[in-house]
Amino acid sequence: MIEESTPSMEQTALLTFVDRLMMRLKSKSLHRNILHTFASIVLALGTAAIIMLATGYDPLQAFSALFLGAILNFDQVLWRATPLLLAGLSVALAFKCGLFNIGAEGQLYMGSLAATAVGYMIALPIVVHQLACLVVGVGVGFLYALLPGVLRAYRGAHEVVTTMMLSYAAVFFTQWMVSQGPMHNPGDWRSISPIIFDSAQIPKILGSAFLNWGFIIAVLFVVVVDFFINKTVMGYEMRAVGSNEDAARTAGIDAKRNMAIALGLSGALAGLAGAVEVQGYYHRFYDQWSGGLGFDGITVAVLGRNNPWGVLGGAIFFGALKAGGLFMQTSAEVPSEMVQVIQGLVVLFVAAPRLIDWFSNHGVAYARWIKDRPLFGFLSLIALSYGVFGAFMGILVAGPYVSSNFSLLLLGFVTSIGGLVVAIFHFQRDERRTRATWMVALLWALMLVSGLSMAAASVVSVALTLAGVGFVISILLMRLQPKSDELKEAA
Amino acid sequence: MNILYGLLSPSAGTVKIKGEEVVLRSPEDAIDRGVGMVHQHFKLIQPLTVTENIMMGYESPGRGHNRYAVAVTLLVLVFSVSLFLLFLGSIPALIASVALVLVIIAAYKSYEIMNYIVEKLYPHTSRGGVRGFVARFLYSISMTFRYFIMNFVPLGIHEAAEKIKRIADENGLAIDPNARILDISVGLQQRVEIIKALYREAEILILDEPTSVLTPQEVDELFATLEKFKDSGKTIILITHKLREPMALCDRISVLRDGELVGTVNRVDTSPEELAQMMVGRPVVFRVQKGPATPGDVVLDVQDISAKDVRGLPAVKGVTFQVRAGEIFGLAGVEGNGQTELVEVLTGLLKSDHGNIYVKGRNVTGKGPRTMREAGIGHIPEDRHKRGLILPFTIEENLALGNHYRPPYSSKKAGIPGFLNLNTIQKNAEKLVHDFSIKVGRVTDTADTLSGGNQQKAVVARELSSEPIALVAAQPTRGLDVGATEYIHNVLISLRDSGVGVLLISAELDEIRNLSDRIGVIFGGRIVAIKDPETTTPQELGLLMAGQTGEVLQ
């Protein structure tokens, strides 16, 4: 056999690396994850649009303002993404070990406070000072999370409770430190610390007023965290403990030590997030400057499915939402709280894959059932559509009355839910579907009555139609119901 | 038995209770039909009292009203009346007070009222037309209200406690209804489980391995109780592997093996020997080819090990044996006789109460799993999903598990910041997959894509790749098909031939007899015999496994 020159070690390593990367990118699970995430975002935006319609805002204008705002202020997008990225990495890393680090906010505060302290109390030469502040921020964050980590690993104290409580403690502690404590800026009526030295500040880049080298550091840490999780022994052991603690223990892995360190490292990342923000933008510690970045980090980690690169995407997405949100408020007059609504909806819909799976499973059964009894099945399908349509109309019709007639809004809400219930009952061939259908028709009749009493034309017209249609459908359902199904209904 | 109790749905076949074919969808259905079950692992909630545990799921509202409810009501009444007098005129206050009293009376009687309404409505619900329609409507609303009220009415705990006391006295099962479960002994806890079944008026009582947690005296008491039940006309199904029990207690005995019914005999017509024969069956189908063993030095020396199980009960009671290089020492025994705990002690997952373990002369007593592995003990766990593999991990990651921290899988000699050598891990995985003929798509697929047999092969391959001195194989072919079983058997033989000492722990007597060079029998946490496979019969081993001999080896 002719021997070709064997490739060198470096060439082999590079080829393997590229090979693995290509395999990861081409894998089916990655495609499915991206599709599901995309679907979650679309569903979230869709629901937000409905809410906006119901409360009288123009969703198209709002979304275009959001989009435009993000594009025009792209440097702001990246700046806002920086702490989200690091906090997201923090939560994602803890989750790889099966732990929930809910207290990233507190670790963030402690890290930033420590970095501020080193920033203005000590004078050091240029690069050294910045690094020192960062290192101290990381270290304090590490220790602040190591405590609940040790408690969880060696005493079983659930980290959700301990990290959450310590988060509160951190917020109040730092507040005291800069209002009445030793770090208060002398003579200042605000609760802030003195400004950190220039040598401790992280410079801005590209002439932006917001974006600084902190973003580069954060992206660097995406690589670092990915490397740590997948290519180091400790990352392997942490993943093992998070996936199957019994098997990990049987294989000789010290689960307790790994858990404690995992939570500590998670806190270190959160502390870095805080330090970077203070050194890069705020340059001093403002009381409660964060406003929930630690908790947003949880959202980002969920959206990114605990994968470092997914977290990067999620952080940029949420950064865009935040940056665009301000623009949305000024130009489309939609309150920027809408951004938080969208954020919450995105997290809700990240569970969408399960919904989609549920739909497809039951949908096949439903379709078959309709085929078996075409007339009644078709009627049931109409009732289902009635339920879905009614669900939308309930919110849309009653929405404008949120301030004037709250009970109407409530009634509309209940009717909406009723419509959903009707749809679900018909979809699952539940025996209570006929009862549910005419109950919802009754609710629409009630809406009609209240609409008449308020002389609200829109409410009256919609309610009249829907009540009438509902009653007709109910009577038809009761008349045409096959005998075999009726026995079950009598229960 | 889980099917009979409604916990599982059968995929085929029928169940008939009292001649009537039934479909049991949940334990509630079973209880309605008079089936009660006492499980092997008690379904009791530790911090609650005996009465609360027995009532659970079968609560009835209290007919008398407890003191607290009455006190609270009086307080509310007094408070409200004073408020009425303060803020309203005297006539309105009087009217309001009377109305309040009426409401309170209605509330107290609400459950009875709702029951009455529901019962009155029910006959009309099956009528057609508008009347039936309205009746069904009102019926649903009333049922909803009744359900709501039922959950807020004070619990009839006193009535329940009285009923429990009555049942206890009638059946000679002394129990304190107000004791908390975590304060009473295991034997008493089992008594609570039995009373639970009687409280629900069970006529058919299923007991799953009831004596495994009882002292000999408690066993005698239990049997006396069961005899009394039998005399009062109840039906008892006793699940056990100890031959003494059905011979002492039962009228008819059925033997199950591998999920199939071997036969049903009358007690008077049979003997323990015949039962043992039915339990272990015919000689093995496949006879593995193996040469004679050439045992060398002792590689695993186990001296007087005792250990407790998760419940704190003694599971291993002074076990001593040796395994030599180049031999397979098979430990036969029905599951639940201490094998699990023994394996955990030998692999470092459980600390023994006393005793010593030596691997090739080195004392490894009380050390953790990593040290045991480094000392040369390999471990094939009995539950590959729980202990053997990390299913979300890829196959190559699983094949490196246990050795991942040392070279060549890791780049540094030791220490925390070790980097994984992914290349080596992949190459190693491919080699093992090839050597052991593990059917995989790619080594980067996750482990849950493997079939059961291939998963076990992966575990075996991984354990062998660290070249152990002694291998502890716990139920290595459980859940595997014939082909995979045969493969694993051949692997164990070749391992033995290459000088490894193999401790084979299995509940399959055929497997033990086929592979072992020496056979030990474990029963009740003790080694009751060590036999030579050439000179012992399956019946003899079966009897030993079922506790039918007085000897206990030191």
Side-chain angles (χ1 to χ4, degrees):
Chain A
M1 191 157 74
I2 303 172
E3 273 243 11
E4 296 203 337
S5 58
T6 51
S8 66
M9 279 277 284
E10 294 82 15
Q11 281 178 308
T12 324
L14 186 63
L15 277 172
T16 329
F17 174 70
V18 172
D19 199 27
R20 279 173 178 274
L21 189 66
M22 290 312 296
M23 264 205 330
R24 272 223 277 189
L25 287 176
K26 277 198 280 197
S27 70
K28 264 219 196 100
S29 55
L30 182 71
H31 291 173
R32 240 185 56 225
N33 274 334
I34 293 182
L35 204 69
H36 279 145
T37 313
F38 192 65
S40 320
I41 296 180
V42 166
L43 276 170
L45 292 176
T47 315
I50 294 177
I51 296 177
M52 277 194 255
L53 274 176
T55 44
Y57 296 108
D58 180 357
L60 257 99
Q61 203 183 4
F63 285 143
S64 38
L66 196 60
F67 189 65
L68 210 62
I71 299 268
L72 288 177
N73 299 309
F74 200 66
D75 59 338
Q76 230 198 91
V77 168
L78 295 181
W79 164 63
R80 285 189 185 274
T82 311
L84 290 174
L85 178 54
L86 287 167
L89 285 174
S90 157
V91 173
L93 179 62
F95 198 74
K96 284 285 183 190
C97 196
L99 301 167
F100 297 95
N101 183 11
I102 308 289
E105 181 83 350
Q107 293 142 19
L108 202 151
Y109 272 119
M110 294 304 265
S112 59
L113 189 75
T116 314
V118 172
Y120 78 82
M121 287 186 197
I122 311 176
L124 290 171
I126 253 199
V127 172
V128 180
H129 202 180
Q130 288 145 346
L131 280 176
C133 292
L134 285 174
V135 166
V136 168
V138 166
V140 167
F142 177 80
L143 290 171
Y144 203 62
L146 188 66
L147 175 62
V150 165
L151 286 175
R152 163 67 207 271
Y154 294 95
R155 281 286 171 268
H158 205 289
E159 72 277 4
V160 168
V161 176
T162 46
T163 54
M164 190 70 183
M165 291 288 106
L166 283 174
S167 180
Y168 281 122
V171 170
F172 289 124
F173 172 71
T174 54
Q175 183 179 66
W176 171 77
M177 282 293 263
V178 295
S179 58
Q180 288 150 356
M183 284 177 68
H184 174 68
N185 195 18
D188 206 321
W189 58 269
R190 304 170 289 177
S191 297
I192 58 176
S193 73
I195 296 196
I196 60 178
F197 288 126
D198 283 351
S199 51
Q201 298 179 7
I202 292 181
K204 308 236 178 348
I205 53 181
L206 302 179
S208 158
F210 304 99
L211 187 58
N212 55 73
W213 282 94
F215 179 70
I216 309 291
I217 297 177
V219 173
L220 216 74
F221 266 89
V222 171
V223 178
V224 167
V225 169
D226 187 40
F227 182 79
F228 175 78
I229 285 183
N230 292 313
K231 298 203 176 56
T232 64
V233 172
M234 188 173 268
Y236 176 90
E237 292 193 347
M238 281 184 192
R239 278 188 298 133
V241 170
S243 302
N244 186 344
E245 196 181 324
D246 281 317
R249 281 187 62 229
T250 308
I253 296 176
D254 187 346
K256 295 183 178 166
R257 199 177 66 154
N258 276 298
M259 270 203 250
I261 297 184
L263 207 46
L265 290 177
S266 175
L269 283 167
L272 181 65
V276 157
E277 270 301 274
V278 159
Q279 290 177 256
Y281 182 71
Y282 293 105
H283 301 319
R284 68 207 306 178
F285 189 94
Y286 288 89
D287 173 34
Q288 303 198 341
W289 60 266
S290 163
L293 282 174
F295 299 110
D296 289 341
I298 302 176
T299 329
V300 168
V302 167
L303 188 61
R305 290 168 203 280
N306 298 314
N307 178 300
W309 298 98
V311 169
L312 176 62
I316 295 186
F317 176 68
F318 279 115
L321 279 182
K322 287 195 178 203
L326 286 173
F327 195 69
M328 190 171 75
Q329 180 159 334
T330 50
S331 87
E333 288 167 8
V334 176
S336 64
E337 280 83 354
M338 206 61 205
V339 167
Q340 284 167 307
V341 171
I342 295 178
Q343 240 174 282
L345 284 170
V346 166
V347 174
L348 188 67
F349 282 113
V350 165
R354 309 260 187 270
L355 264 174
I356 296 174
D357 289 336
W358 178 82
F359 262 123
S360 49
N361 288 340
H362 283 262
V364 169
Y366 187 50
R368 214 177 294 143
W369 178 83
I370 292 182
K371 225 169 38 145
D372 283 341
R373 39 180 76 67
L375 184 58
F376 189 68
F378 186 62
L379 189 57
S380 170
L381 199 58
I382 296 203
L384 196 156
S385 334
Y386 168 74
V388 172
F389 187 64
F392 278 120
M393 294 313 281
I395 289 282
L396 280 176
V397 143
Y401 297 93
V402 57
S403 35
S404 50
N405 190 343
F406 191 69
S407 45
L408 181 66
L409 179 69
L410 214 60
L411 183 61
F413 188 66
V414 170
T415 315
S416 246
I417 303 274
L420 270 177
V421 167
V422 164
I424 293 176
F425 276 0
H426 276 276
F427 188 63
Q428 294 198 291
R429 283 106 56 220
D430 192 293
E431 55 203 19
R432 297 165 282 186
R433 55 181 182 259
T434 319
R435 240 172 295 161
T437 318
W438 59 249
M439 273 202 217
V440 165
L442 206 67
L443 281 170
W444 277 111
L446 266 173
M447 288 273 276
L448 174 66
V449 167
S450 25
L452 281 172
S453 71
M454 287 180 359
S458 57
V459 177
V460 167
S461 47
V462 172
L464 185 60
T465 337
L466 281 174
V469 170
F471 279 124
V472 167
I473 294 182
S474 315
I475 295 178
L476 281 174
L477 278 171
M478 281 190 284
R479 275 289 153 78
L480 290 173
Q481 188 162 49
K483 267 296 169 198
S484 50
D485 294 345
E486 201 169 87
L487 286 167
K488 279 189 257 167
E489 278 247 346
Chain B
M1 291 306 129
N2 279 342
I3 293 175
L4 282 186
Y5 196 54
L7 285 167
L8 278 180
S9 303
S11 43
T14 59
V15 175
K16 284 195 192 153
I17 298 185
K18 293 212 169 78
E20 190 191 328
E21 191 175 318
V22 294
V23 173
L24 299 166
R25 265 183 279 254
S26 76
E28 283 178 337
D29 290 341
I31 292 172
D32 280 341
R33 301 204 179 272
V35 179
M37 184 159 175
V38 176
H39 301 262
Q40 195 175 8
H41 301 290
F42 303 145
K43 315 278 187 205
L44 295 172
I45 300 186
Q46 297 288 322
L48 298 186
T49 65
V50 168
T51 312
E52 286 167 345
N53 267 283
I54 294 180
M55 283 180 74
M56 199 162 36
Y58 205 67
E59 303 98 353
S60 52
R63 228 153 295 126
H65 296 285
N66 59 42
R67 301 180 292 249
Y68 301 108
V70 173
V72 166
T73 316
L74 278 177
L75 254 169
V76 166
L77 192 59
V78 166
F79 190 65
S80 316
V81 170
S82 17
L83 277 181
F84 292 154
L85 286 173
L86 263 175
F87 289 105
L88 308 170
S90 36
I91 302 284
L94 189 64
I95 298 175
S97 310
V98 170
L100 184 61
V101 169
L102 284 174
V103 166
I104 290 177
I105 294 178
Y108 268 78
K109 289 268 173 267
S110 53
Y111 187 64
E112 281 90 359
I113 295 173
M114 291 317 302
N115 262 338
Y116 179 75
I117 293 177
V118 163
E119 274 165 30
K120 270 285 158 183
L121 278 173
Y122 185 68
H124 298 277
T125 52
S126 39
R127 284 162 61 169
V130 184
R131 286 235 184 89
F133 189 75
V134 170
R136 279 197 291 278
F137 175 61
L138 292 173
Y139 182 74
S140 331
I141 295 187
S142 318
M143 286 287 271
T144 315
F145 264 113
R146 190 182 77 148
Y147 182 73
F148 181 75
I149 289 171
M150 211 159 71
N151 281 305
F152 281 93
V153 164
L155 272 182
I157 292 197
H158 289 298
E159 287 86 350
E162 276 165 33
K163 186 173 173 188
I164 291 169
K165 258 247 161 296
R166 206 171 14 95
I167 293 174
D169 293 334
E170 276 174 17
N171 293 288
L173 300 162
I175 194 84
D176 174 14
N178 296 318
R180 293 199 305 171
I181 299 292
L182 46 75
D183 293 333
I184 61 180
S185 73
V186 176
L188 282 178
Q189 288 180 14
Q190 191 188 64
R191 204 176 274 183
V192 171
E193 286 276 13
I194 295 178
I195 297 178
K196 230 205 289 192
L198 298 174
Y199 187 85
R200 288 154 176 72
E201 278 130 47
E203 289 297 317
I204 304 170
L205 206 57
I206 306 172
L207 293 121
D208 187 0
E209 302 277 1
T211 60
S212 50
V213 296
L214 300 182
T215 65
Q217 295 89 328
E218 287 171 336
V219 171
D220 292 332
E221 284 170 10
L222 174 66
F223 281 8
T225 309
L226 293 176
E227 283 276 358
K228 244 185 276 180
F229 287 166
K230 186 178 83 167
D231 293 334
S232 66
K234 299 206 198 299
T235 307
I236 300 178
I237 303 176
L238 180 69
I239 305 171
T240 179
H241 67 272
K242 303 178 188 173
L243 292 178
R244 180 177 78 88
E245 294 171 13
M247 293 307 294
L249 185 68
C250 302
D251 301 306
R252 290 188 311 128
I253 305 169
S254 297
V255 178
L256 257 73
R257 181 158 51 93
D258 284 337
E260 290 187 353
L261 182 67
V262 177
T264 305
V265 291
N266 294 317
R267 187 212 349 165
V268 292
D269 299 330
T270 190
S271 64
E273 287 77 18
E274 188 184 336
L275 289 176
Q277 166 92 1
M278 289 166 83
M279 277 167 72
V280 300
R282 302 255 157 270
V284 63
V285 178
F286 300 106
R287 188 94 213 170
V288 166
Q289 299 289 17
K290 62 172 185 176
T294 47
D297 298 327
V298 170
V299 288
L300 185 60
D301 191 357
V302 179
Q303 293 176 359
D304 197 27
I305 291 287
S306 293
K308 296 197 174 66
D309 66 12
V310 288
R311 286 182 297 194
L313 300 169
V316 183
K317 303 170 188 167
V319 163
T320 302
F321 61 89
Q322 289 85 32
V323 180
R324 293 174 179 278
E327 79 166 348
I328 297 183
F329 179 65
L331 203 56
V334 177
E335 284 183 61
N337 279 292
Q339 295 98 318
T340 311
E341 288 77 16
L342 178 62
V343 167
E344 284 180 1
V345 169
L346 290 177
T347 51
L349 293 165
L350 180 64
K351 276 216 164 58
S352 57
D353 296 335
H354 61 80
N356 288 306
I357 306 171
Y358 296 93
V359 176
K360 252 201 164 144
R362 174 178 159 186
N363 189 336
V364 290
T365 319
K367 299 272 191 281
R370 186 164 284 189
T371 318
M372 293 301 220
R373 181 178 301 247
E374 284 171 355
I377 296 186
H379 177 204
I380 300 179
E382 60 179 337
D383 187 341
R384 53 181 166 273
H385 284 188
K386 187 170 164 217
R387 284 249 154 95
L389 294 170
I390 299 179
L391 290 175
F393 271 21
T394 63
I395 295 169
E396 58 181 6
E397 287 173 333
N398 269 294
L399 287 173
L401 187 62
N403 291 312
H404 56 277
Y405 63 98
R406 39 185 188 177
Y409 302 100
S410 148
S411 60
K412 276 205 184 163
K413 268 270 165 69
I416 301 170
F419 302 126
L420 290 178
N421 205 327
L422 290 177
N423 260 329
T424 316
I425 292 180
Q426 185 181 11
K427 291 262 169 351
N428 171 69
E430 283 166 359
K431 176 169 175 298
L432 287 175
V433 161
H434 174 261
D435 290 346
F436 285 85
S437 320
I438 308 176
K439 277 206 213 72
V440 303
R442 255 205 288 248
V443 289
T444 48
D445 291 340
T446 51
D448 50 16
T449 57
L450 291 173
S451 72
N454 284 309
Q455 283 176 349
Q456 190 73 331
K457 278 194 197 175
V459 173
V460 170
R462 176 187 77 211
E463 290 302 312
L464 297 192
S465 67
S466 47
E467 292 174 2
I469 300 171
L471 180 71
V472 177
Q475 322 282 359
T477 59
R478 179 201 272 168
L480 299 185
D481 61 54
V482 170
T485 305
E486 196 179 25
Y487 185 87
I488 303 270
H489 285 179
N490 284 322
V491 164
L492 291 176
I493 295 284
S494 59
L495 205 58
R496 173 261 248 176
D497 290 337
S498 66
V500 176
V502 177
L503 173 64
L504 173 66
I505 298 177
S506 175
E508 298 288 327
L509 198 52
D510 292 343
E511 186 172 57
I512 298 274
R513 290 183 56 240
N514 207 1
L515 296 175
S516 316
D517 304 311
R518 283 187 304 137
I519 301 180
V521 180
I522 187 167
F523 179 81
R526 295 193 174 86
I527 306 234
V528 293
I530 296 186
K531 297 269 181 198
D532 180 358
E534 305 287 325
T535 60
T536 190
T537 63
Q539 290 87 330
E540 204 179 328
L541 289 172
L543 284 171
L544 286 169
M545 280 164 71
Q548 274 301 97
T549 178
E551 271 189 64
V552 170
L553 282 196
Q554 281 310 328

